[in-house]
Amino acid sequence: MTFLSSGKVNYNARIERASSLASRYSFAREVLGFYGKIAAFQKQFYEQLPRKWGKQPIVPPGGVLRGELNLPPLIEPFEKFLALLQTEAPGPLSAQARLLHNQSKDAWADMLFSSWKTGLLESLPQDSELPAHVAEPLNEFLGRAFLQPYAEFIVSSMLPPNLTMTVCRCPRCNSLPLLGVLRPEGDGGKRYLQCAFCSQEWEFRRILCAHCGEEREDKLPVYVAEQFPHIRVEACETCKHFLRTIDLTKDGHAVPIADDLAAIPLTLWAHENGYTRIQSNLLGT
């Protein structure tokens, strides 16, 4: 099985594509504009990591990504990240960032460690007025958006794993897939899954549900909207989950993370038809 290592992450491509799509799709302009600011922060954070990393090895012992956390290069950027969200994020997220910004650096360290392990910022202050069903997605966003460049930096230094079978979770960090990606190969396209956390891609069978493993073709319908001819909604009638796939054989200029954020109508359509996304993107679009 093939595993694609991204090498150095091209944040400029993500930022430029988000800007281009924002000018094309007015309904996604606010979402893509906010993402552009997040991606600009991630780019700066990512580029600073090599000189701030210290003497600790980049590749974790045993190649287990979610093992140790190198905290020293994280605390100062986390403070800047929370400050950015307070001024640029929508109301509830801004309020949550303001609440966290008032905590101690020791508390931040505990939060980041819990997020690195579980995907959520736990050990949170108890004075938040946000209901749990609102606070939890915001905390997931905070952990994913901030730690994603850190995870991408680590995996860019790791050798590809030896995959002997098709797997539905990331071989690097065990996260769920965010997207499918069809990359040109021969006269067609080879299917990959892209991790929702560390952004790595691994080869995945074309006719197979990435959530429950259903492999009967008649149970795996594919929907494409005229508005987004290069984006597929790959559904499963067995588990009622769907995966969004960016088809680079139809649009070689697409940048999967950015194009996915713009496809808001496809999410609305899927939900109206009873499908649940395997893993939402950072902004839930």
Side-chain angles (χ1 to χ4, degrees):
M1 300 295 293
T2 305
F3 185 90
L4 293 186
S5 178
S6 63
K8 184 175 176 59
V9 178
N10 190 347
Y11 277 102
N12 286 333
R14 297 178 184 179
I15 295 167
E16 291 167 7
R17 182 65 173 177
S19 177
S20 174
L21 293 172
S23 65
R24 187 186 310 176
Y25 303 118
S26 59
F27 56 80
R29 191 166 296 150
E30 184 175 355
V31 165
L32 291 167
F34 178 53
Y35 171 72
K37 294 170 183 175
I38 296 298
F41 168 84
Q42 291 179 323
K43 174 180 182 290
Q44 183 181 43
F45 179 25
Y46 179 88
E47 291 176 347
Q48 290 176 348
L49 279 170
R51 59 185 175 83
K52 292 189 173 184
W53 190 263
K55 296 182 179 180
Q56 179 172 318
I58 296 175
V59 177
V64 179
L65 183 64
R66 291 187 187 265
E68 298 179 5
L69 189 67
N70 187 9
L71 280 169
L74 296 179
I75 298 302
E76 181 183 350
F78 189 59
E79 182 174 17
K80 293 179 179 178
F81 183 60
L82 294 177
L84 171 69
L85 294 180
Q86 287 179 73
T87 59
E88 302 293 347
L93 181 55
S94 175
Q96 192 77 339
R98 187 173 299 109
L99 183 67
L100 298 182
H101 194 267
N102 292 330
Q103 303 304 302
S104 69
K105 288 181 171 57
D106 287 341
W108 292 351
D110 290 341
M111 294 173 197
L112 292 172
F113 184 74
S114 70
S115 181
W116 185 243
K117 287 290 189 180
T118 68
L120 284 174
L121 288 176
E122 297 175 348
S123 304
L124 292 170
Q126 300 301 309
D127 52 345
S128 173
E129 296 181 358
L130 294 173
H133 73 280
V134 174
E136 184 169 314
L138 296 184
N139 293 334
E140 181 184 359
F141 165 84
L142 285 160
R144 283 173 64 188
F146 178 72
L147 288 172
Q148 186 175 57
Y150 177 87
E152 290 175 332
F153 173 70
I154 294 174
V155 297
S156 69
S157 300
M158 299 171 71
L159 294 173
N162 182 24
L163 300 181
T164 58
M165 58 183 294
T166 298
V167 293
C168 293
R169 283 182 172 265
C170 176
R172 284 293 188 214
C173 65
N174 200 41
S175 296
L176 292 169
L178 171 63
L179 293 167
V181 182
L182 283 178
R183 296 191 174 276
E185 181 168 295
D187 296 328
K190 178 175 283 189
R191 187 189 190 197
Y192 294 85
L193 298 186
Q194 185 180 94
C195 177
F197 186 59
C198 70
S199 304
Q200 298 298 280
E201 294 182 16
W202 66 98
E203 185 182 345
F204 199 76
R205 284 169 47 192
R206 287 289 296 262
I207 309 299
L208 186 68
C209 173
H211 184 260
C212 73
E214 176 62 74
E215 55 186 8
R216 290 173 292 179
E217 190 168 359
D218 62 323
K219 295 291 185 180
L220 301 170
V222 175
Y223 303 97
V224 179
E226 184 177 348
Q227 189 175 26
F228 300 98
H230 68 298
I231 302 181
R232 299 153 53 100
V233 175
E234 299 175 340
C236 177
E237 294 299 338
T238 300
C239 67
K240 303 301 287 186
H241 281 79
F242 77 94
L243 182 79
R244 200 139 70 205
T245 292
I246 312 301
D247 189 346
L248 298 180
T249 70
K250 293 185 177 180
D251 186 347
H253 297 292
V255 177
I257 287 178
D259 284 66
D260 175 58
L261 289 166
I264 298 172
L266 300 185
T267 299
L268 297 176
W269 177 88
H271 289 169
E272 289 171 357
N273 285 273
Y275 298 114
T276 300
R277 189 166 184 176
I278 294 174
Q279 174 64 64
S280 64
N281 59 37
L282 278 178
L283 303 182
T285 63

